[in-house]
Every structure is written in C-alpha cells, then in structure tokens.
Amino acid sequence: MKIDKKRALLGGLALSVSLAFIFAIYSGVAYSREPVTTKATYSKAYAQEGHFTAYGLFSNETVYGNGTSLEYYPSKITDVIVGTYEFSSDGARGSYEAVLHVNYYVTSGKKRVYIVNDTKLLAKGTFVNSFEVPVELNFTELNERLQMVREGTGLYRAEREVYVTVKVLANGRESFTQEIRLKRDASGMLYFSGTDKEYQKVVRTVSTTTNSLSFAGSNVGVSTARTVFPAMALLFAIPPAGFIYAKREKKEREPKELKGLKKYTVEGTSPDGKRVELSSPKDLERVFELVDRPIVHYRDGETDVYAITDGEIVYEYRAN
C-alpha cells in the first residue's frame, strides 16, 4: 500500500497544532488558579467573664427602698452598697483573690499625692468553673476613716478612691484581672465603672490545600501544570512553525524576476539534452518568449533549476 506522504505530513501537522492549542488552553487555566489555597478558621478556645451587681441601703427610703439596684446612688442618703462579684469560665480550674482598696490622697496641681493606702482581702481560694465574692461598702465606716485621716494628717482637703481588684489564675489560660471602681460625679451621685468584663481566647487554624487540574483522567498539580503544559505547548508548536518557516524560506528563494513566469512553470524532473546555462532570469524570459515552451522547475540538491527544452538543447537558469 502506497503512503501519501503529503497527506501524512499535513495530518501530523494538524495533530501537532491541535495538541499545542490544547496545552496552551490548559496553561492558561493553570495560571488562572493558585497552586496552593490557604484557609484560616477561627474558633473560641475559652471565655472568661466577670460581672458585678449591687443594691443600696438608704437612710431615707422616701424615694428608694432598701435593696433597690440603681445605676446611680445618691451619696447623701446611701449608707451601704451591697454587691456580688461573679466570675465564670467553663472548664476552668484555678485560684482567685479579691481585694478592696481604699486610698486617701490630696491633689497637688494635677498630681495626686497618696497619704494612706488601706487594703482589705475580701476573698481568696480555688474554684472550678466559677466563683462568687460578696462585696460590702459601708459609707458610715468609710466616712469615719476619711475624717480620721484628715484630722490625723491635718490635710482637711484629703479625698479617697475606692475600688475592688479581682485576679484569677486558671489552668492553661491567660490571667484575668478586673478592676471595679466606685466613682462620684459633680452632682454627688455614686456609680461603678468596670462592672462587666469578658475575654475570649480565639485560636487561629490554618489549613493548606494543594490545587490540581484534571487532565486526561488524571489530577496534575497546578504548580506542575504551570511548568509542564507551557513546555508541551511550545514543543508541539515547533513542527508547524518550522514547516511554515521552511515554506516561507522556499518561497523567498524564488527570484522576483521569475514571478511573471510562474503561470508558465511546471514541476518536473531534469530533462535530457545539451545544457546551455543562462546567467539571469531575464535571459530565461527571453528564451521562453522565443521558443514558447513551458518552463520546467526541479531541484538539483539545494539549487532551484528552471529549464526550457528546445529540441535537443536544454536552456537552464540556476537560481541559487
């Protein structure tokens, strides 16, 4: 069976072009995706909460009855504030300490100068998950102590600050400290700051996924595809590019002077006869006009030869 070489060549070139196109498309897909996807997730490891609630006992119950919980307490009628501090943290085990601080000071310019610092341990111990601490502020006692400090120091402009500190140490958890301050505004109303505190420990987890492409029934990593697919596209593009370049080169080897005779030129083999070599395309054109016979083109090695046969004489022009 005779093989049609031209058809086989064209079929091979078509297959090469198709494969180059396919690999070029997959190269584009590979570069449109990230080789690795990194995803961060956040989860709560644990939470710690501290809350302080209170109610007042009053010397005058005309407006507020004893046991009333207020945001602001009138200082002139408030005898005692009774409060409860509550701490909770699921799964926590550890120790705690609650201390009442009453500090006496005078103001020098914008600076406080402390005279006496009184502390009272309210509670200390261990806990599991939660604990409570009772807090009582007796303003009759506090006022008597303030008067004593003023008289004892001769600093009758001395004032006091009152606050409670709670320190918690739990197993495997960060230390927790809360400060609850008793404050007094310009109108003489008492209120607390720092009564609520919440802290959550958040854990960041990073997961990494290597991305891949489905190709010919198999998964190919994106990073590998970015290297292999462009190389394969280039490899399969070389044969058709080389073929086109060769055809172009061959076409360019044809002298411009012979383009007018192309329609009178046929492909053939070297004719027999006595050779007369022509020196230029113009001479070939003159011979063609004189004998009016077709021009036969054939290759002699790397040389293009154009021949006109007139009897036993063969007129040849060698283009290379």
Side-chain angles (χ1 to χ4, degrees):
M1 181 179 179
K2 188 176 180 180
I3 299 175
D4 190 335
K5 293 183 178 179
K6 184 175 181 181
R7 181 173 292 180
L9 175 62
L10 292 177
L13 290 174
L15 177 62
S16 186
V17 169
S18 299
L19 290 173
F21 180 72
I22 291 171
F23 279 110
I25 290 177
Y26 272 92
S27 298
V29 174
Y31 275 95
S32 69
R33 299 183 183 180
E34 291 297 327
V36 175
T37 299
T38 301
K39 182 179 180 181
T41 57
Y42 299 86
S43 59
K44 184 176 73 173
Y46 60 85
Q48 299 183 101
E49 298 182 10
H51 302 284
F52 178 75
T53 56
Y55 62 87
L57 301 178
F58 308 100
S59 60
N60 185 336
E61 297 184 63
T62 304
V63 178
Y64 303 116
N66 286 333
T68 304
S69 180
L70 301 172
E71 184 177 356
Y72 291 90
Y73 296 89
S75 60
K76 290 187 177 181
I77 66 168
T78 302
D79 289 337
V80 179
I81 293 180
V82 179
T84 301
Y85 176 82
E86 297 177 295
F87 174 88
S88 62
S89 181
D90 290 343
R93 290 174 176 268
S95 60
Y96 67 92
E97 181 181 84
V99 178
L100 172 64
H101 301 263
V102 183
N103 301 329
Y104 301 89
Y105 65 91
V106 291
T107 303
S108 177
K110 294 183 179 181
K111 181 181 178 182
R112 287 186 177 184
V113 179
Y114 288 92
I115 308 166
V116 180
N117 299 322
D118 291 341
T119 59
K120 178 183 178 182
L121 181 64
L122 298 178
K124 183 177 183 180
T126 59
F127 73 97
V128 177
N129 295 329
S130 64
F131 64 85
E132 292 184 1
V133 177
V135 178
E136 181 178 310
L137 300 178
N138 188 313
F139 290 97
T140 301
E141 295 178 359
L142 289 173
N143 292 335
E144 289 177 354
R145 174 61 173 165
L146 176 60
Q147 186 63 30
M148 185 177 66
V149 170
R150 286 175 173 174
E151 293 176 354
T153 60
L155 300 171
Y156 293 96
R157 298 178 64 87
E159 296 294 339
R160 66 168 177 252
E161 61 179 10
V162 180
Y163 61 94
V164 175
T165 57
V166 181
K167 296 181 179 179
V168 182
L169 294 176
N171 55 315
R173 306 188 179 191
E174 296 182 18
S175 61
F176 183 91
T177 301
Q178 186 171 355
E179 184 177 278
I180 303 153
R181 284 188 171 268
L182 176 68
K183 294 188 175 182
R184 179 173 178 168
D185 64 16
S187 65
M189 300 293 284
L190 302 173
Y191 66 97
F192 292 96
S193 66
T195 55
D196 300 294
K197 181 176 180 179
E198 296 182 6
Y199 173 77
Q200 289 187 355
K201 177 66 175 181
V202 177
V203 178
R204 181 174 183 264
T205 304
V206 178
S207 60
T208 302
T209 304
T210 301
N211 297 323
S212 61
L213 301 176
S214 179
F215 178 78
S218 301
N219 290 326
V220 180
V222 173
S223 59
T224 301
R226 285 186 174 188
T227 303
V228 174
F229 289 166
M232 296 299 292
L234 179 62
L235 179 65
F236 283 110
I238 289 175
F243 178 77
I244 294 172
Y245 181 78
K247 293 287 287 185
R248 180 182 176 188
E249 285 293 304
K250 184 176 179 180
K251 185 175 180 181
E252 288 180 349
R253 284 197 296 266
E254 183 179 282
K256 292 181 180 179
E257 295 87 344
L258 295 176
K259 288 185 178 180
L261 302 175
K262 189 172 183 179
K263 60 183 177 179
Y264 308 111
T265 303
V266 296
E267 297 294 325
T269 58
S270 175
D272 295 328
K274 183 179 178 181
R275 259 53 180 175
V276 176
E277 189 172 338
L278 304 175
S279 59
S280 68
K282 283 290 185 183
D283 293 336
L284 181 66
E285 186 177 357
R286 290 192 191 97
V287 171
F288 171 75
E289 291 173 351
L290 290 172
V291 301
D292 194 22
R293 293 181 66 84
I295 301 170
V296 179
H297 170 256
Y298 66 93
R299 295 276 293 174
D300 183 11
E302 296 296 323
T303 303
D304 287 292
V305 182
Y306 299 87
I308 301 174
T309 302
D310 184 19
E312 296 181 355
I313 300 175
V314 179
Y315 297 93
E316 289 184 343
Y317 169 67
R318 292 180 173 268
N320 302 96

